[in-house]
């Protein structure tokens, strides 16, 4: 085997810059951005009408911009949980197989760029594009809140919303890594897109129902029609295998300071607690640190798997 010369990471910056420029100038990215902005605008319009009367009473009025759900429209944060995977999959489903289909892979790797730099650069470009898009969306929401509500956000509201932005980026990173993994595994871009979208729909819509059924099979209830505590705990643990569930739980705790637990609540846990009183930021973070670790670990494991598969592929085929 021929030994490498130079650093395998040489060229990461060049690949990242080039890919980010392609993302921001592509019609695909424009379409996805407008889809998210228009959907978020429709949600926020109803939220502003719903919460404007409570401006002077709610100490976390800006956080309600993310969590309030007027009428049949879901909350802004819930909409993001649905749209972020679409954006991430749209950026990553043809990241690698697109080079094969355009017959440019062997030409790229003939340059002083290793596969390591190519894959890492494409992933960092996708993650950077998602970060810029989410940050711009966050600024639009906060700016619209200042204009429509007429009050500035508190320091804790800004911190909580930025932490929510971090969770959203890690959630997007999981689906970007999924899409790039399928882009490595399948030579057809249509196949990788369909598999990624199918997996997202399965984990977001079907898995919660299957998790409940599996939990009942693992820990059956003593009485018909009732769920045991063990079954509830199993159902919650199985649902957390889905990135959508981890993001949803983190969103609830970070954006709703009065949330004290994510599992079953016992009377002993409520002893001495003031119902409705908000938790401090560090207390909320103690509840969701496992969700943060789970999302970060998902990004690392999925990217490592894509990296290992890509290193063993024949690029001249």
């Amino acid at each position: 085997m021929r030994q490498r010369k130079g650093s395998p990471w040489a060229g990461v910056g060049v690949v990242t810059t080039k890919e980010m420029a392609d993302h921001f100038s592509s019609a695909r990215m424009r379409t996805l951005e407008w889809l998210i902005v228009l959907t978020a605008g429709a949600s926020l319009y109803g939220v502003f009408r719903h919460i404007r009367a409570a401006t002077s009473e709610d100490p976390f009025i800006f956080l309600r911009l993310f969590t309030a759900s007027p009428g049949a429209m879901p909350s802004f944060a819930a909409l993001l949980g649905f749209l972020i995977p679409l954006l991430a999959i749209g950026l990553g489903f043809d990241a690698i197989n697109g080079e094969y289909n355009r017959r440019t892979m062997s030409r790229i790797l003939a340059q002083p760029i290793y596969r390591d730099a190519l894959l890492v650069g494409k992933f960092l470009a996708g993650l950077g594009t998602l970060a810029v898009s989410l940050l711009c969306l966050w600024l639009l929401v906060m700016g619209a809140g200042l204009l429509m509500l007429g009050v500035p956000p508190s320091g804790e509201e800004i911190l909580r919303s930025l932490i929510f932005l971090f969770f959203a980026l890690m959630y997007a990173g999981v689906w970007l890594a999924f899409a790039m993994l399928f882009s490595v595994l399948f030579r057809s871009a249509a196949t990788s897109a369909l598999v990624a979208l199918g997996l997202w729909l399965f984990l977001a819509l079907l898995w919660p129902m299957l998790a409940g059924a599996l939990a009942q099979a693992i820990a059956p209830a003593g009485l018909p029609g009732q769920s045991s505590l063990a079954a509830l705990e199993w159902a919650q643990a199985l649902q957390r295998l889905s990135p959508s569930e981890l993001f949803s739980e983190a969103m609830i705790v970070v954006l709703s300071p009065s949330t004290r637990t994510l599992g079953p609540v016992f009377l002993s846990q409520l002893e001495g607690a003031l119902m409705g009183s908000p938790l401090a930021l560090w207390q909320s973070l103690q509840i969701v640190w496992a969700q943060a670790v789970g999302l970060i670990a998902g990004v690392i494991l999925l990217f490592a798997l894509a990296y290992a598969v890509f290193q063993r592929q024949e690029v001249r085929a």
Side-chain angles (χ1 to χ4, degrees):
M1 181 181 293
R2 189 176 63 180
Q3 190 173 4
R4 292 183 178 186
K5 296 180 180 179
S7 171
W9 311 114
V12 171
V14 175
V15 175
T16 302
T17 304
K18 185 260 182 189
E19 290 293 324
M20 285 191 70
D22 290 345
H23 286 324
F24 283 120
S25 61
S26 66
R28 181 196 310 171
M29 187 66 186
R30 292 281 188 276
T31 303
L32 292 170
E33 286 175 346
W34 277 109
L35 173 65
I36 291 178
V37 169
L38 292 176
T39 307
S43 175
L44 289 175
Y45 175 75
V47 169
F48 283 129
R49 297 182 60 185
H50 181 69
I51 69 175
R52 193 179 297 172
T55 301
S56 59
E57 303 173 3
D58 195 337
F60 295 101
I61 191 69
F62 266 82
L63 294 183
R64 292 189 62 191
L65 294 178
F66 297 91
T67 58
S69 53
M73 178 70 73
S75 67
F76 174 71
L79 282 175
L80 277 186
F82 185 80
L83 294 173
I84 283 176
L86 286 179
L87 183 59
I89 292 171
L91 291 177
F93 76 93
D94 62 346
I96 301 301
N97 54 27
E99 301 292 349
Y100 287 114
N101 296 331
R102 293 188 295 268
R103 302 183 183 277
T104 54
M105 179 64 77
S106 57
R107 252 182 275 172
I108 292 173
L109 296 181
Q111 307 299 318
I113 295 178
Y114 288 112
R115 304 184 192 202
D116 314 64
L118 179 64
L119 190 67
V120 171
K122 283 180 173 289
F123 180 76
L124 291 179
L127 200 61
T129 303
L130 291 166
V132 172
S133 302
L134 290 172
L135 180 61
C136 291
L137 189 61
W138 178 82
L139 291 172
L140 286 173
V141 172
M142 301 302 283
L146 281 171
L147 290 174
M148 300 298 292
L149 299 178
V151 293
S154 64
E156 183 172 347
E157 285 179 307
I158 293 177
L159 281 177
R160 283 181 177 271
S161 60
L162 287 175
I163 292 170
F164 166 73
L165 193 64
F166 168 78
F167 276 103
L169 181 59
M170 290 301 99
Y171 177 56
V174 171
W175 289 109
L176 177 64
F178 260 127
M180 290 191 66
L181 172 61
F182 295 137
S183 180
V184 172
L185 291 174
F186 303 106
R187 290 295 176 94
S188 170
T191 302
S192 61
L194 286 174
V195 173
L197 290 171
L199 179 64
W200 163 57
L201 291 174
F202 172 77
L203 290 176
L205 301 178
L206 298 179
W207 180 244
M209 294 182 286
L210 290 177
L214 288 174
Q216 291 290 346
I218 295 172
L223 297 176
Q226 295 184 2
S227 297
S228 64
L229 178 59
L232 293 175
E233 292 175 344
W234 270 104
Q236 188 177 46
L238 291 172
Q239 287 174 9
R240 285 174 177 169
L241 295 176
S242 168
S244 301
E245 181 67 18
L246 295 178
F247 175 70
S248 177
E249 291 183 347
M251 171 191 73
I252 292 171
V253 173
V254 172
L255 296 179
S256 300
S258 58
T259 302
R260 295 180 172 272
T261 182
L262 291 169
V265 181
F266 301 98
L267 292 177
S268 59
Q269 293 176 303
L270 300 177
E271 187 175 351
L274 296 176
M275 299 305 296
S277 61
L279 295 179
L281 177 58
W282 67 270
Q283 292 175 317
S284 295
L285 293 179
Q286 284 183 326
I287 298 175
V288 296
W289 70 269
Q291 281 73 9
V293 172
L295 289 173
I296 294 172
V299 175
I300 295 173
L301 289 175
L302 290 169
F303 179 77
L305 183 58
Y307 179 88
V309 175
F310 186 52
Q311 290 295 318
R312 289 163 172 77
Q313 279 189 342
E314 174 57 60
V315 300
R316 291 172 295 181

